[in-house]
Amino acid sequence: MEPNEILALSMREFDRLRVISDVLEGKLLQREAAVQLRLSRRQVIRICQRVRLRGRVGIAHGLRSKPGNHQLAAGLLERAVKLVATRYRDFGPSFANEKLRDDHGLSLSTPTLRQGMIEAGIWRSRRYKPFHRAWRQRKACLGEMVQVDGSDHDWFEGRGPRCVLMAFIDDATSRVVLARFVEAEDTLTLMRLTWEYLRCYGRPQSFYVDKDSIYKVNRQAALDEEVRDEQPVTQFSRAMAELGITVICANSPQAKGRVERLFKTLQDRLVKDLRLAGVSSAEAANRFLAAGYLERHNARFQEEPANSTDAHRKLLSQHRLEQILCLRTERTLLNDFTLQYQKRFFQVLEHQPVRVSPRDKIEVETRLDGSSWLRFKETYLN
C-alpha cells in the first residue's frame, strides 16, 4: 500500500479485519475465527496470508478497483442497441436479444439489453396491475385436451390481405400441433384442419373452444327439438360426437388461456419474423410455418407433460372422415321425388337400396370436396 493511498473499507470489512488481526496476534484460533466470520477455515487461512503479506489492504477483495471478469466487451452494448434501433425497433428485449444472438452473433443478457434500450428511449418498462384468477391444472397427457381457436389479425402489416391464423395447441405440453393461415374461420375450414389433425395424431379426448357459432348454437331449442328433448348442435359438434371427441366451450377467454397467450406471442414474434422474411401472403406464410418456424417455437415454449402416455386414440374403420366431416341439412322429399337445396333440384331415382316415399326427411350431405350426397336411414340414395 502506498504511503499516501487511502483505503476505504466497509463496516463488514472492518469487523473482519479485527477478527483476522486477533488470529495473527495469537489471540484467536483459525477455527474460532471461521465460526465468527461464518467462513470456512480455508478461507480464513487465505485472508490471513493476504493480510500478513499486504497489510490492511489485504482484507479487501482482490478485484476492487479492477475491471470485472464478466463485464461486457467495450462497445458491445452500444452496437447491440444501435442494431435494435435500426432493425428491431418494435421488438421486445427478449425477442430482440434472440435475434442479436442468432442472426448477429452478439451475446449479452436480456436485462442488460433491456436497460440499454430503456436508456436509449427504444423501450419503456411496463408495470402490470395484479389480478386474481382461479388456476386450472394442466392436463396430464398429450392429447387429453387440445385448445382450438382462430386469430383475425393484420399478420402482414398491410403488405398483404388480412387473414386468420387457426391454431391447435395441446393443453398438457403447450405444443402447437397444427397452425394454418386461412381466409376465414368457418365450419368447412375448421373441418379441413381437423381432418388433417386426425390423420396426423388420431382422436384427442376433447377440444376446448370458445362459444362461437361454429362450436355452439347460441339460440334456444325449437319447438320440435323440445318435443324430442334434443339440444341443437352445430355441424362441427355433431361431427365430433360421431368421432367420440368431447367439445368443451369455455366461459371466458381467460379460461382457454393457453391458446390466447399463444396468439399474443405470435402477434408479436411471428409478425416480425414474417416481416424479416419478406412474407406477404397466406400461402407463403404457411410454407414459412412448415419450414421450421413451428419447430423452433415449440422448442422454446413446449413443456414436458406430467404423464408420458399419449391419450390420442386411433381412427377406427367405421370413422369414415369424408362422411363425418361434412355439412348435413335435412330436406323434405316432394311428391315428384325431388328436393331442393341451395337453389338446386335433386331427383331421387326409382330404384333405391331402401324404400323412399314422398314427405320423407332426406339428409343432404355436402362434403369437403364439394360433392353432394343424399342419405336416408343411414343409407345413400341414387
Side-chain angles (χ1 to χ4, degrees):
M1 182 173 178
E2 297 297 331
N4 297 326
E5 184 179 353
I6 298 176
L7 177 63
L9 297 179
S10 66
M11 184 63 69
R12 181 182 179 186
E13 289 170 332
F14 269 117
D15 294 340
R16 180 175 290 186
L17 179 60
R18 179 186 56 80
V19 176
I20 295 299
S21 298
D22 290 343
V23 174
L24 295 178
E25 294 173 5
K27 300 178 181 179
L28 199 63
L29 296 178
Q30 290 176 346
R31 65 171 179 269
E32 295 172 340
V35 173
Q36 292 186 23
L37 298 177
R38 297 182 181 179
L39 300 175
S40 68
R41 187 166 177 268
R42 286 188 176 186
Q43 287 175 297
V44 171
I45 292 174
R46 287 197 294 268
I47 296 174
C48 288
Q49 289 174 347
R50 292 205 308 265
V51 173
R52 188 181 292 113
L53 293 175
R54 301 174 57 194
R56 293 182 178 181
V57 72
I59 202 68
H61 195 279
L63 290 178
R64 176 172 291 188
S65 73
K66 294 182 180 180
N69 293 330
H70 302 288
Q71 70 176 359
L72 292 177
L76 177 60
L77 180 59
E78 291 75 10
R79 182 185 173 195
V81 172
K82 184 176 180 181
L83 274 171
V84 172
T86 54
R87 298 195 59 180
Y88 312 113
R89 192 171 187 87
D90 58 343
F91 285 42
S94 298
F95 194 24
N97 198 22
E98 290 179 22
K99 292 301 179 183
L100 294 177
R101 182 184 65 248
D102 298 339
D103 299 344
H104 304 279
L106 300 183
S107 180
L108 67 164
S109 69
T110 299
T112 301
L113 179 62
R114 179 185 292 109
Q115 189 60 37
M117 293 171 63
I118 291 174
E119 293 175 357
I122 302 174
W123 183 255
R124 293 182 61 185
S125 59
R126 303 174 183 176
R127 293 185 178 181
Y128 295 95
K129 295 182 179 179
F131 59 92
H132 176 270
R133 293 195 182 276
W135 184 68
R136 177 181 63 82
Q137 184 78 21
R138 283 178 182 268
K139 296 299 182 181
C141 301
L142 176 70
E144 195 171 347
M145 176 187 285
V146 177
Q147 297 192 18
V148 183
D149 201 2
S151 175
D152 184 0
H153 185 69
D154 186 13
W155 294 99
F156 310 121
E157 300 174 301
R159 301 187 307 275
R162 192 181 181 97
C163 60
V164 176
L165 177 61
M166 293 290 298
F168 291 60
I169 181 171
D170 183 71
D171 186 80
T173 63
S174 291
R175 177 179 178 81
V176 183
V177 289
L178 182 65
R180 289 288 184 277
F181 285 98
V182 296
E183 292 184 0
E185 183 182 2
D186 54 28
T187 300
L188 290 177
T189 300
L190 179 62
M191 286 187 173
R192 290 189 181 96
L193 294 178
T194 304
W195 185 320
E196 184 176 348
Y197 178 93
L198 296 173
R199 287 296 189 187
C200 291
Y201 301 99
R203 294 177 296 144
Q205 299 290 331
S206 63
F207 281 128
Y208 200 42
V209 298
D210 56 26
K211 292 186 177 181
D212 190 271
S213 58
I214 300 175
Y215 311 105
K216 179 179 174 62
V217 176
N218 297 309
R219 62 170 176 81
Q220 292 184 347
L223 182 60
D224 58 334
E225 293 170 336
E226 290 182 351
V227 170
R228 297 193 301 267
D229 195 21
E230 295 178 354
Q231 290 296 322
V233 296
T234 64
Q235 297 281 354
F236 179 78
S237 297
R238 183 267 311 160
M240 294 304 101
E242 292 183 18
L243 291 168
I245 302 172
T246 304
V247 177
I248 304 173
C249 292
N251 291 320
S252 67
Q254 291 79 13
K256 53 185 181 66
R258 205 83 64 216
V259 70
E260 294 291 342
R261 286 190 295 273
L262 169 68
F263 286 137
K264 184 177 180 180
T265 300
L266 294 181
Q267 287 172 8
D268 177 33
R269 290 171 168 252
L270 179 56
V271 166
K272 297 176 174 66
D273 276 326
L274 292 174
R275 181 204 309 162
L276 295 176
V279 175
S280 57
S281 67
E283 294 78 10
N286 285 328
R287 291 194 296 269
F288 181 79
L289 292 177
Y293 182 86
L294 287 182
E295 285 78 2
R296 294 192 299 272
H297 175 92
N298 288 330
R300 176 171 175 79
F301 296 105
Q302 181 175 335
E303 301 283 345
E304 288 297 324
N307 191 315
S308 59
T309 304
D310 190 346
H312 286 99
R313 299 157 295 169
K314 293 183 179 180
L315 288 168
L316 305 179
S317 58
Q318 63 264 33
H319 293 145
R320 300 182 180 276
L321 296 184
E322 69 278 2
Q323 299 177 11
I324 297 175
L325 297 176
C326 64
L327 302 181
R328 293 180 187 168
T329 307
E330 194 175 76
R331 288 292 184 268
T332 301
L333 190 65
L334 302 179
N335 291 333
D336 57 357
F337 288 87
T338 63
L339 57 86
Q340 185 178 5
Y341 178 67
Q342 291 185 344
K343 300 181 179 180
R344 291 189 298 168
F345 283 94
F346 292 85
Q347 176 70 66
V348 176
L349 303 182
E350 180 179 359
H351 299 289
Q352 299 292 343
V354 294
R355 183 175 180 178
V356 182
S357 302
R359 314 307 299 173
D360 284 339
K361 301 297 182 180
I362 308 297
E363 276 189 340
V364 183
E365 186 177 285
T366 303
R367 298 186 177 178
L368 299 182
D369 60 2
S371 62
S372 297
W373 299 71
L374 304 184
R375 193 167 76 161
F376 180 62
K377 295 182 178 180
E378 304 299 326
T379 303
Y380 289 97
L381 302 179
N382 301 319

